[in-house]
Amino acid sequence: MLSKVKKTMELLLFSVIGVSIILSLVACSSSNGEDKINSETLKLQQPTSIDSLDPALSYDTSSTIVVGNVNEGLYTVSPNNKPQLAMAEKVTKKDNGKTLIYTIRKDAKWSNGAPVTASDFVFAWRRVVDPKLASGFSFELSEAQIKNADAIIAGKKDPKTLGVYAEGEKTLVLKLNRPVPFMSSLLSFASFAPINEKFYKAQGKKFSMTSKNLIYNGPYVIKNWKNGDNSITLAKNQNYYNKKNVKVKKIELKLISDTQRAVMAYKNGDVDYAALTGNLVNQNKSSKDFRTDIGAFNWYLMFNSKIKGLDNKDLRKAIAYSIDSKELTQKILKDGSVPAESVVPKGFAYSPTDHKDFADQTNNPYSYNPNLAKKYWNKAKKETNLRSFTLIYGKDEDNMGNVAAYIKSQIEKTLPDLNVNLQTMLKKTRLAKMQNFTYQVALTRWAPDYADPTAILSMYTTNMVSNYGAWSDKTFDSLYNQANTIFVNKSEVRWNALIKAENILMDSATSVPLYQTANAYLLNSKVHNFINHSCGVPLFFKYVYIK
Amino acid sequence: MEVIHMIRYIGKRTILSLITLFIILFILFLMLNFMPGSPFNDTKMSHEQLKILYHEYGLDRPLAERFLIYVKQMLTGNLGVSYSLQTNATVTNMISHTLPISVQIGLQASVVGSLIGIVLGFVAALRKNSFFDSMATGISILGVSVPSFVLALCFSYIFSYKYNLFPLLYSSSEAFRSTILPTLSLCFFTLASIARYSRSEMIEVMEKDYIRLADAKGITRFQLVCRHIIRNAMIPIITVLAPLTVDLMAGSLVIEKAFSIPGMGSLYINAIQANDYNVVIGISFIYSLMFIGTMFFVDLLYGLIDPRIRIAKRGK
Amino acid sequence: MTHEDIILSINNLAISFKSFSGRVRALRGVTIDVVRGKTIAIVGESGSGKSVTVKTIMRILSKNEKIESGSIVFNNKRDNEIVPIDLLKLSNKHMQREIKGKKIAMIFQDPMTSLDPTMKIGKQILEAIFAHKKIKLKAAVEQVHQLLETVGIKNIKAVMNAYPYQLSGGMRQRIVIAIAISCEPDLLICDEPTTALDVTIQSKILDLIKKIQKARNLSVIFITHDLGVVSRIADQVYVMYAGKIVEYGTCNDIFYDPRHPYTWGLLESTPDMAYLQERLASIPGTPKRMIGDVKGDQFAERNRYALNIDFRMEPPFFKVNDHHFAATWLLHPKAPQIRIPESLRKRIDLMKEENRNG
Ligand SMILES: Nc1ncnc2c1ncn2[C@@H]1O[C@H](COP(=O)(O)OP(=O)(O)OP(=O)(O)O)[C@@H](O)[C@H]1O
Ligand SMILES: [Mg+2]
């Protein structure tokens, strides 16, 4: 008996010593980051693999980056986040802004030398709305109010009836239902890129499966790539009209999904950029290469107002006041996230008059206040007998377990008699439950698709597909509609109407914004003009230079 | 005589395997059918749009019909297309891009792991209670208890980050060199469990009466070990080794993620998470095929080593 | 008895095992002489140390086993000259090459597990032959045929190509015997070779061993529980209890004139045709495991006739006649006159009667 115990102890000791030797080897942080960077090549880490390089089907961030840099639409985005003409050299408005006429640049060429023509745009856009292709970007053409887009998407009209026409080789005419104030921002997105019809037809089903089955009109082309590879290399497009201003000759995107490994690769000089997540943000905060940009989306609590009790404004307010977003971001998350104070995230929609951030102009009433929380809870208790609800969250979504646990403890601590049950599931299950309204409260997020507050506010309009709260308010609806109709050409009035709409949302605590994510990363200090855009194409390499 | 029996046996096994495969396929179909969410990137699609999409891909048809269509296509080598992971890429293509590297690394890991494991286990058994034995046991405990991603991290920290001996990440330009660290990290579990298993198997066999008798014949220790002990100890080892090997060949998500290997393991997990039906079914199918194939092969191998099984087959 | 007549002598062999509860003293000074060409039987209850004794001859030692003292001298006959070898001092290599299989062979208890399941029978016998003989395959195969014939196997070709699991227990034991005699050993050790077989086959195997022993002038050490078997096969009997020989003598000595109360108990508990109707007597209690230091006669606690001295001192051997010795204080001149139990007395008389008549 004794000798057995002794033996086990010996083995245990052996393993403990072994493990600690290995760990100490790993832990002693010595960075041998030699500077392998040269001015011609930029190497970036990407956390996800490419899903598709078909401009109409590339949803994933890495894919969007590639597609956005090898294709170019009518517009692109400047380093200071303003849309500017790209393939188009001129635009004229007619019909009160309901007809737009674009002139395509004469020197715009495809990578095979063919000229970029107006009909390339017509072909590409018809594809996006074609229900047979079922592009996840088709909604963007309805957002752009292009005539017949909605009917075509719903399968009621032929794609040929789409309100976009080529008049001659270089003139593109857009017919709109109504003017769209943020049209140029929308059109800068990758899904509005042209496609060369002749080339497309020649590829058949192989289109976009390898770099040989793709054609490019953007600043870069793809080299030797096939779907499923773990890295992709972009090279300067020799046929790009503005090639003399493209400075970096080669861009390599490497798939490294393990962030710890990404940091190693960064320090090794294998990549010049590595995204940071979770603990790694804190660990690398003091590095001189550490950068952080505001992220694209807000995390928030969504209430299903079809559930009795959750439609109660006071209850929702009580919850909003009982959560301390500051503590949540600084003590729980510690990844650079910041408290969210409005439904519309910061950093992507700016006032047309004074360029002020929309999020800063609205009411931000819900800072942590346990007394107010209790007050609203006492009020709510008289109006509803809901005393517990279930909060759902995705277990495959970063950190949500901790966030959910924090929210539960905060609510139960602040609001006596209110129970929060936590239920974890895959993200896709959470989404399905939200789409079917078979949930009570969800921890969810949403990223804006274009640089206008309506990208977020539209979700709260009655009958919107993505109105997962099933919330409805007449004043809100009418403000939203006015902003898109009668105020469309009066930018200041429109802006104020949208602020009012957001304030209605906040005042009724339709959803409770928690925090806005941040993009933290390491970037070689020799890389300049490397700007993350929080909506649209995340990165444009043509501005980047290395010095 | 023997050949005819063999052929008949193989035929029988093949038919049985096919039936098993079909049942697996059908169960997969059923299970995926009840998975929440759709296979598409649909957060921003309307119900009408989704309906059109479902119709376009034939997903609005009854399950049984879909199953039959799938099987029919499958027989012509068509495993369908990916819905979301690599939109519209054929599953056959996706698998043929990812399978070879997974199989290569898996086989390497399995060969290295089982060879070292068996040697370690056997030597430990022959020198029971010696220092070497304790060391081997220590290694086994480490190998089984330290997760492969920790090993992967340690290896790449030491060998690629600190001393730059091997690439940190998989790169097709250094195809073999960049599989060495993944192989090592992956083989440890196999190595450790095989070492432990072979040690105990060998000790068990060494206590058997027939080993005593063989020893009493006056043959040398070397002959005893080679002719009697190893052969008898190998039988159960092969049984556990086979499924381990298939497991390794199917690709390890953890290792593939750690070394950025474009393999089948991560593809599979991603496909499950994305509800990419055809990819999930395609890979499951290949996986089952590999599994059944290996078990079949092991059975034949078994027959070579263990006469009881070989003759039993002949008898039937 | 001259020195040359003895093929193997075990002298004062003491063996202990390390165990969790302490040192198990399995053998405590065992002395046995085996006469060339004769059969000795070792009898005793389970756990008395019979197997340990013979395994030590073959140097089959467990990891936790320790030889405390003693020697095993094998009087090896080479070119008509006798060379005594202490088996316990021999190198492993020498033991393996010169003794095992070649001079001393062993048959184990369970034929079902004695043969390698993955090897054909023919090959297993060939292996034994090739272990010590440098001959051509053809000649060896010829020998296998002869051996199989000797052990009474009929369809030799088929058996040679068979695997062990295809044969019955009796057949397998015949194969084991064939292997044992394949290199013409001088000494054959049989550790309960028939216990695992059913009665009819038991006696066939027994006859076979007897026949071979006669034909080849083998010396045999035969271990068994079964006194009936002993009377059929043995010239000399050693009674063993708790790691010690307590009585030994010729078959007649032990069966007709037993002196040790333990031997009485053994005889009483033997089923016997004539007395089957009567209640079968058995020795009360169970043998105890000897852990640590022991004192006195180990059998005393179970012994109806135990004397005071039995609990304090181990009895030495007392001579009954030239070839009969027993280690019991009852034989001491000063001991009270205790006679053999009446029921056993009657039984022995009856047996004598039968033998005289038969
Ligand atoms: N490997 C071992 N470790 C510990 N004790 C052992 C070992 N082998 C034998 N013994 C002990 O030695 C004693 C004698 O065992 P042995 O096998 O010689 O008995 P036996 O007389 O052959 O009995 P049986 O008739 O059951 O075969 C027993 O008490 C047993 O417990
Ligand atoms: Mg025994």
Side-chain angles (χ1 to χ4, degrees):
Chain A
M1 209 43 216
L2 253 168
S3 71
K4 204 167 197 177
V5 171
K6 205 174 134 201
K7 196 144 183 223
T8 322
M9 292 298 287
E10 261 169 33
L11 286 176
L12 217 69
L13 198 72
F14 186 94
S15 355
V16 166
I17 291 171
V19 169
S20 43
I21 287 172
I22 294 172
L23 287 185
S24 62
L25 271 174
V26 172
C28 66
S29 59
S30 90
S31 137
N32 60 347
E34 338 152 15
D35 226 347
K36 290 185 193 163
I37 198 165
N38 61 40
S39 63
E40 318 237 294
T41 313
L42 180 64
K43 288 166 288 182
L44 308 173
Q45 172 256 346
Q46 286 297 311
T48 53
S49 55
I50 281 168
D51 57 358
S52 171
L53 292 184
D54 183 332
L57 300 172
S58 59
Y59 309 114
D60 169 81
T61 313
S62 331
S63 318
T64 315
I65 291 176
V66 174
V67 169
N69 281 283
V70 298
N71 295 298
E72 204 166 76
L74 299 171
Y75 289 89
T76 182
V77 179
S78 76
N80 57 7
N81 235 336
K82 278 197 174 138
Q84 58 183 205
L85 287 170
M87 279 293 121
E89 58 186 11
K90 201 177 89 191
V91 56
T92 27
K93 292 187 186 181
K94 275 191 181 166
D95 282 347
N96 232 345
K98 285 203 315 194
T99 301
L100 299 175
I101 300 160
Y102 288 95
T103 311
I104 312 290
R105 322 176 66 98
K106 281 191 198 67
D107 51 356
K109 270 188 261 168
W110 288 102
S111 47
N112 65 357
V116 175
T117 64
S119 52
D120 292 338
F121 283 90
V122 176
F123 175 72
W125 295 12
R126 282 179 184 167
R127 236 185 124 237
V128 177
V129 288
D130 191 338
K132 287 211 171 99
L133 182 73
S135 163
F137 294 127
S138 58
F139 75 94
E140 296 199 329
L141 280 91
S142 7
E143 296 289 356
Q145 297 300 327
I146 296 173
K147 267 223 163 84
N148 291 334
D150 285 329
I152 299 168
I153 292 165
K156 288 175 192 138
K157 275 191 174 163
D158 191 281
K160 288 202 175 101
T161 62
L162 187 70
V164 52
Y165 312 96
E167 281 178 3
E169 196 177 315
K170 293 285 185 183
T171 308
L172 184 71
V173 180
L174 267 62
K175 296 273 183 202
L176 308 182
N177 299 323
R178 56 175 166 80
V180 178
F182 45 89
M183 193 66 173
S184 50
S185 157
L186 260 182
L187 293 184
S188 69
F189 197 60
S191 48
F192 286 95
I195 291 176
N196 185 308
E197 183 173 3
K198 205 173 132 201
F199 182 86
Y200 176 86
K201 295 233 158 101
Q203 307 309 311
K205 281 193 168 171
K206 286 206 172 123
F207 177 73
S208 84
M209 293 297 160
T210 74
S211 50
K212 290 206 182 70
N213 306 111
L214 278 165
I215 190 162
Y216 319 97
N217 73 325
Y220 288 92
V221 298
I222 304 170
K223 288 278 177 208
N224 297 326
W225 172 88
K226 66 175 186 306
N227 216 339
D229 281 358
N230 64 344
S231 74
I232 184 165
T233 304
L234 311 186
K236 211 168 142 174
N237 182 357
Q238 295 306 326
N239 279 326
Y240 185 56
Y241 65 91
N242 198 10
K243 73 169 181 199
K244 70 169 197 297
N245 284 327
V246 178
K247 287 165 196 99
V248 180
K249 281 194 177 144
K250 221 167 104 186
I251 312 273
E252 275 179 54
L253 299 177
K254 298 185 175 185
L255 168 68
I256 310 177
S257 39
D258 180 36
T259 36
Q260 186 120 22
R261 208 51 71 97
V263 172
M264 260 192 226
Y266 179 82
K267 291 189 173 158
N268 228 10
D270 284 354
V271 290
D272 310 314
Y273 160 95
L276 299 170
T277 55
N279 280 339
L280 289 170
V281 178
N282 234 0
Q283 279 169 28
N284 290 283
K285 234 175 199 152
S286 51
S287 162
K288 70 173 173 28
D289 296 347
F290 180 82
R291 309 273 185 93
T292 172
D293 291 342
I294 193 119
F297 41 77
N298 274 352
W299 278 96
Y300 53 95
L301 289 178
M302 191 77 216
F303 299 96
N304 179 2
S305 47
K306 286 188 176 179
I307 305 282
K308 247 193 147 164
L310 293 177
D311 57 355
N312 185 290
K313 191 159 111 177
D314 295 316
L315 176 106
R316 297 194 302 251
K317 280 187 169 178
I319 291 173
Y321 277 119
S322 60
I323 296 167
D324 187 352
S325 308
K326 236 184 217 147
E327 189 178 50
L328 177 62
T329 51
Q330 287 170 7
K331 299 224 170 95
I332 311 283
L333 293 161
K334 293 191 281 197
D335 60 357
S337 303
V338 293
E341 290 165 337
S342 55
V343 174
V344 172
K346 265 190 186 160
F348 82 101
Y350 298 93
S351 156
T353 47
D354 52 9
H355 211 69
K356 269 191 188 150
D357 196 321
F358 184 83
D360 291 333
Q361 293 179 296
T362 54
N363 294 341
N364 303 327
Y366 300 112
S367 53
Y368 173 57
N369 190 333
N371 292 331
L372 270 179
K374 286 195 177 80
K375 198 183 112 196
Y376 279 107
W377 174 228
N378 285 331
K379 228 171 128 195
K381 269 174 159 175
K382 287 171 201 136
E383 295 152 3
T384 163
N385 40 28
L386 182 126
R387 293 293 179 272
S388 87
F389 62 82
T390 301
L391 173 64
I392 62 169
Y393 63 94
K395 58 179 153 204
D396 47 348
E397 297 177 281
D398 248 3
N399 253 328
M400 278 315 115
N402 293 337
V403 175
Y406 174 77
I407 289 168
K408 175 184 160 78
S409 80
Q410 242 358 71
I411 293 176
E412 290 181 347
K413 191 173 83 187
T414 322
L415 312 178
D417 312 328
L418 185 57
N419 274 319
V420 183
N421 307 315
L422 299 182
Q423 199 186 349
T424 176
M425 55 196 66
L426 287 176
K427 180 185 176 186
K428 63 184 178 191
T429 316
R430 169 176 75 72
L431 284 172
K433 276 183 170 273
M434 290 177 72
Q435 280 158 1
N436 300 324
F437 300 103
T438 53
Y439 78 106
Q440 296 182 337
V441 182
L443 200 46
T444 183
R445 60 173 222 188
W446 194 270
D449 294 307
Y450 47 89
D452 189 78
T454 52
I456 294 293
L457 296 179
S458 63
M459 287 179 60
Y460 294 87
T461 57
T462 312
N463 295 331
M464 182 72 177
V465 192
S466 47
N467 186 347
Y468 299 134
W471 178 82
S472 172
D473 183 275
K474 282 205 182 93
T475 329
F476 178 85
D477 283 354
S478 87
L479 279 169
Y480 177 84
N481 283 335
Q482 284 171 341
N484 282 335
T485 50
I486 52 175
F487 299 155
V488 113
N489 288 330
K490 303 172 197 163
S491 52
E492 199 175 345
V493 184
R494 176 176 183 274
W495 194 253
N496 291 332
L498 292 175
I499 289 174
K500 250 188 225 162
E502 151 101 26
N503 287 342
I504 291 173
L505 283 184
M506 286 304 279
D507 184 52
S508 60
T510 316
S511 61
V512 175
L514 298 170
Y515 62 93
Q516 185 166 0
T517 56
N519 297 323
Y521 53 93
L522 295 169
L523 180 70
N524 191 305
S525 51
K526 291 186 180 158
V527 180
H528 302 276
N529 257 356
F530 185 93
I531 295 151
N532 267 311
H533 301 272
S534 57
C535 77
V537 177
L539 279 171
F540 286 104
F541 299 128
K542 64 175 174 180
Y543 305 121
V544 175
Y545 63 95
I546 299 168
K547 210 169 86 182
Chain B
M1 241 349 239
E2 198 145 330
V3 177
I4 292 175
H5 280 298
M6 200 66 167
I7 291 170
R8 195 181 291 165
Y9 173 70
I10 292 176
K12 218 159 110 188
R13 278 296 299 258
T14 313
I15 291 169
L16 239 125
S17 307
L18 282 179
I19 295 172
T20 318
L21 272 177
F22 269 83
I23 294 172
I24 291 172
L25 263 185
F26 189 71
I27 292 174
L28 269 170
F29 248 85
L30 265 180
M31 270 167 39
L32 285 177
N33 203 45
F34 291 119
M35 289 271 255
S38 84
F40 304 104
N41 250 306
D42 61 352
T43 35
K44 285 166 190 166
M45 287 187 198
S46 66
H47 286 296
E48 287 151 312
Q49 238 181 319
L50 272 178
K51 234 166 126 183
I52 297 169
L53 200 54
Y54 269 70
H55 182 74
E56 197 54 35
Y57 285 104
L59 290 171
D60 55 346
R61 297 183 202 193
L63 185 74
E65 192 184 336
R66 259 162 51 207
F67 182 65
L68 287 180
I69 292 174
Y70 185 85
V71 169
K72 222 158 83 190
Q73 282 184 347
M74 201 185 72
L75 293 177
T76 64
N78 175 2
L79 294 175
V81 295
S82 161
Y83 297 139
S84 55
L85 276 189
Q86 293 173 20
T87 317
N88 290 341
T90 62
V91 174
T92 354
N93 249 336
M94 290 168 80
I95 291 177
S96 66
H97 285 163
T98 52
L99 184 66
I101 181 72
S102 289
V103 167
Q104 186 199 336
I105 292 175
L107 272 183
Q108 281 172 201
S110 166
V111 168
V112 173
S114 52
L115 278 186
I116 299 180
I118 288 171
V119 170
L120 212 64
F122 280 2
V123 176
L126 289 174
R127 312 230 158 122
K128 204 173 140 189
N129 296 333
S130 67
F131 174 72
F132 182 89
D133 186 22
S134 323
M135 212 174 70
T137 312
I139 291 176
S140 325
I141 290 179
L142 273 183
V144 176
S145 52
V146 179
S148 54
F149 71 87
V150 174
L151 283 173
L153 196 67
C154 292
F155 286 156
S156 45
Y157 183 84
I158 297 165
F159 297 117
S160 16
Y161 183 66
K162 271 207 110 144
Y163 297 109
N164 250 319
L165 298 172
F166 297 102
L168 184 63
L169 305 164
Y170 179 81
S171 94
S172 42
S173 57
E174 288 180 286
F176 178 68
R177 254 164 56 83
S178 51
T179 60
I180 291 176
L181 290 186
T183 302
L184 282 184
S185 334
L186 198 56
C187 80
F188 242 71
F189 183 80
T190 310
L191 186 153
S193 41
I194 290 295
R196 232 169 32 156
Y197 198 72
S198 357
R199 179 180 176 274
S200 67
E201 258 332 299
M202 182 121 168
I203 287 173
E204 204 182 310
V205 168
M206 284 196 296
E207 310 261 285
K208 288 267 158 76
D209 283 353
Y210 56 80
I211 298 301
R212 295 238 171 87
L213 182 86
D215 182 58
K217 290 175 187 172
I219 58 173
T220 63
R221 189 158 174 80
F222 181 75
Q223 287 169 329
L224 186 72
V225 171
C226 292
R227 284 193 207 149
H228 299 281
I229 300 180
I230 290 185
R231 204 178 156 100
N232 278 288
M234 274 321 279
I235 295 171
I237 294 172
I238 288 175
T239 326
V240 291
L241 191 57
L244 272 176
T245 307
V246 180
D247 221 44
L248 291 183
M249 287 196 305
S252 145
L253 170 74
V254 169
I255 294 299
E256 286 174 7
K257 202 176 151 188
F259 292 97
S260 293
I261 299 162
M264 205 166 75
S266 36
L267 183 66
Y268 192 41
I269 302 294
N270 290 341
I272 290 173
Q273 276 173 2
N275 264 352
D276 206 337
Y277 295 151
N278 285 339
V279 182
V280 175
I281 295 175
I283 296 180
S284 307
F285 178 73
I286 296 294
Y287 187 87
S288 315
L289 209 63
M290 272 167 34
F291 197 82
I292 290 174
T294 310
M295 287 327 245
F296 187 37
F297 173 73
V298 165
D299 261 16
L300 293 180
L301 198 68
Y302 240 26
L304 285 181
I305 301 181
D306 192 343
R308 280 164 294 190
I309 293 169
R310 190 185 334 158
I311 311 274
K313 269 178 219 158
R314 202 187 294 165
K316 270 174 206 162
Chain C
M1 255 186 273
T2 57
H3 180 70
E4 287 102 286
D5 283 326
I6 297 197
I7 182 163
L8 183 89
S9 65
I10 302 173
N11 304 310
N12 204 23
L13 185 65
I15 280 177
S16 67
F17 290 96
K18 252 196 275 168
S19 81
F20 294 137
S21 41
R23 259 184 10 181
V24 178
R25 303 185 42 172
L27 298 188
R28 301 178 300 130
V30 169
T31 300
I32 291 173
D33 283 335
V34 184
V35 180
R36 202 178 291 278
K38 294 276 191 269
T39 300
I40 71 147
I42 305 176
V43 295
E45 281 172 298
S46 198
S48 53
K50 307 181 295 289
S51 298
V52 171
T53 310
V54 291
K55 276 184 190 158
T56 311
I57 302 172
M58 289 298 270
R59 293 262 296 267
I60 301 174
L61 304 178
S62 305
K63 280 262 143 71
N64 57 340
E65 192 165 348
K66 191 180 170 217
I67 298 171
E68 305 273 355
S69 66
S71 64
I72 299 177
V73 177
F74 179 68
N75 291 311
N76 193 14
K77 208 176 196 171
R78 207 197 295 157
D79 312 324
N80 279 329
E81 208 184 316
I82 284 178
V83 187
I85 307 169
D86 186 346
L87 295 182
L88 296 181
K89 295 210 174 95
L90 221 51
S91 75
N92 272 335
K93 218 173 180 177
H94 195 141
M95 184 77 195
Q96 206 70 18
R97 204 182 293 156
E98 298 300 331
I99 306 295
K100 280 194 196 172
K102 191 171 177 186
K103 298 289 174 185
I104 307 176
M106 187 160 172
I107 298 171
F108 295 88
Q109 177 169 353
D110 189 356
M112 303 312 271
T113 58
S114 290
L115 294 167
D116 187 333
T118 61
M119 201 184 257
K120 284 184 180 170
I121 299 293
K123 213 173 157 196
Q124 297 198 40
I125 305 174
L126 279 172
E127 187 183 35
I129 294 172
F130 284 128
H132 301 290
K133 290 184 186 168
K134 288 202 173 68
I135 53 172
K136 290 249 163 63
L137 180 66
K138 225 173 146 193
V141 170
E142 185 51 38
Q143 269 191 28
V144 173
H145 276 256
Q146 279 168 15
L147 280 168
L148 289 176
E149 226 176 274
T150 311
V151 297
I153 282 172
K154 306 229 163 53
N155 42 350
I156 291 174
K157 274 247 164 64
V159 168
M160 276 180 73
N161 270 315
Y163 286 96
Y165 73 96
Q166 291 168 293
L167 305 179
S168 70
M171 290 273 267
R172 286 194 220 183
Q173 199 62 305
R174 284 171 200 269
I175 305 293
V176 172
I177 293 169
I179 289 174
I181 60 171
S182 62
C183 290
E184 293 109 28
D186 297 329
L187 176 64
L188 179 65
I189 299 169
C190 308
D191 188 354
E192 306 190 39
T194 57
T195 314
L197 301 171
D198 66 57
V199 186
T200 46
I201 300 188
Q202 250 182 38
S203 100
K204 280 188 190 152
I205 295 292
L206 223 52
D207 289 341
L208 176 64
I209 293 174
K210 220 165 135 182
K211 197 183 94 194
I212 290 169
Q213 189 264 330
K214 285 249 164 62
R216 306 195 167 204
N217 196 30
L218 270 175
S219 315
V220 176
I221 299 176
F222 199 99
I223 292 177
T224 180
H225 288 121
D226 188 345
L227 287 169
V229 170
V230 174
S231 63
R232 279 179 62 184
I233 201 161
D235 301 307
Q236 269 210 306
V237 184
Y238 284 79
V239 180
M240 199 165 183
Y241 181 75
K244 257 195 134 116
I245 301 295
V246 294
E247 184 169 9
Y248 65 95
T250 62
C251 242
N252 281 344
D253 292 336
I254 299 300
F255 282 97
Y256 300 139
D257 188 19
R259 293 304 178 96
H260 200 286
Y262 178 66
T263 316
W264 296 345
L266 277 185
L267 285 166
E268 275 184 307
S269 59
T270 311
D272 186 283
M273 293 308 159
Y275 281 82
L276 224 67
Q277 300 92 321
E278 267 184 41
R279 189 184 64 85
L280 206 62
S282 66
I283 307 170
T286 49
K288 73 173 202 201
R289 275 162 67 94
M290 293 137 298
I291 294 166
D293 287 331
V294 290
K295 206 172 80 179
D297 185 355
Q298 292 308 298
F299 186 57
E301 278 163 33
R302 300 170 67 195
N303 185 358
R304 265 186 283 175
Y305 313 102
L307 307 173
N308 270 339
I309 191 169
D310 276 320
F311 292 94
R312 285 183 282 117
M313 243 171 114
E314 291 235 63
F317 273 110
F318 292 96
K319 184 171 166 180
V320 181
N321 60 39
D322 275 351
H323 40 74
H324 187 186
F325 295 81
T328 166
W329 286 117
L330 293 180
L331 291 176
H332 194 273
K334 287 183 187 159
Q337 286 300 300
I338 287 177
R339 318 235 67 209
I340 187 163
E342 202 43 40
S343 60
L344 186 61
R345 168 92 273 137
K346 274 197 215 152
R347 237 171 105 170
I348 290 173
D349 287 345
L350 212 81
M351 280 199 299
K352 280 184 181 163
E353 193 88 3
E354 266 171 23
N355 265 14
R356 223 172 289 136
N357 300 344

